[in-house]
Amino acid sequence: MNASTSQLHASTRTFTQHLSSTRRGARLARLLAVEQLRTWPVLPGIADRAEGIIAELASNAALHGRVPGRDFRLGLTLQEATGTLRIEVTDTRGEKLPALQSAPPPDRESGRGLLLVVAFADRWGTEPHEPVGKTIWAELDSRAD
């Protein structure tokens, strides 16, 4: 007996960009990502959450992960079959891992970035980047939006 099965070919979309480890580079990361997400089949709620995550992770890479003369990398991956968007920001300061802390006092202007990432992402984490550095990643599920 010969049975045939119809298979859908799910695609994976990727975007990667190296940016200078500066405030300008962090801003450009957010702007480029927003434009890229507009061309992909991403729900508006996912794109909005992704923009907030990218802004925070890119800002942290430029501020805390900066090594003079070294760039940071922004990566986006969309698994269309599952609707999962993965955001990765890689910098060269592998020894400086993010630490989730309680919310700072209301009068303090900084210290909420990672709390926002946790609030916006369905999952997040860190992993070493060889030969040097770390990658902070966050995933968003369109099924959960």
Side-chain angles (χ1 to χ4, degrees), residues 24-68:
R24 183 175 183 215
R27 180 175 179 272
L28 187 57
R30 182 182 59 80
L31 293 172
L32 288 171
V34 166
E35 286 303 313
Q36 185 62 53
L37 292 174
R38 285 184 185 158
T39 68
W40 290 354
V42 175
L43 296 172
I46 295 293
D48 291 344
R49 289 168 48 203
E51 182 178 359
I53 291 169
I54 292 161
E56 292 303 328
L57 294 182
S59 177
N60 286 347
L63 182 64
H64 304 295
R66 183 174 192 276
V67 172

Side-chain angles (χ1 to χ4, degrees), residues 11-15 36 39-42 76-80 84-86:
S11 65
T12 300
R13 297 175 187 246
T14 60
F15 172 83
Q36 185 62 53
T39 68
W40 290 354
V42 175
L76 304 173
T77 305
L78 176 64
Q79 296 288 338
E80 288 189 47
T84 300
L85 175 66
R86 183 176 174 103

Side-chain angles (χ1 to χ4, degrees), residues 3-31:
S4 65
T5 311
S6 175
Q7 293 182 349
L8 295 175
H9 295 285
S11 65
T12 300
R13 297 175 187 246
T14 60
F15 172 83
T16 304
Q17 182 68 50
H18 286 261
L19 299 135
S20 65
S21 293
T22 62
R23 290 189 349 213
R24 183 175 183 215
R27 180 175 179 272
L28 187 57
R30 182 182 59 80
L31 293 172

Side-chain angles (χ1 to χ4, degrees), residues 78-99:
L78 176 64
Q79 296 288 338
E80 288 189 47
T82 61
T84 300
L85 175 66
R86 183 176 174 103
I87 300 161
E88 296 182 340
V89 174
T90 303
D91 65 48
T92 52
R93 295 286 301 270
E95 78 284 359
K96 201 164 187 184
L97 296 176

Side-chain angles (χ1 to χ4, degrees), residues 98-102 114-116 118 124:
L100 188 58
Q101 300 173 359
S102 59
L114 200 51
L115 292 172
L116 291 172
V118 170
W124 76 279

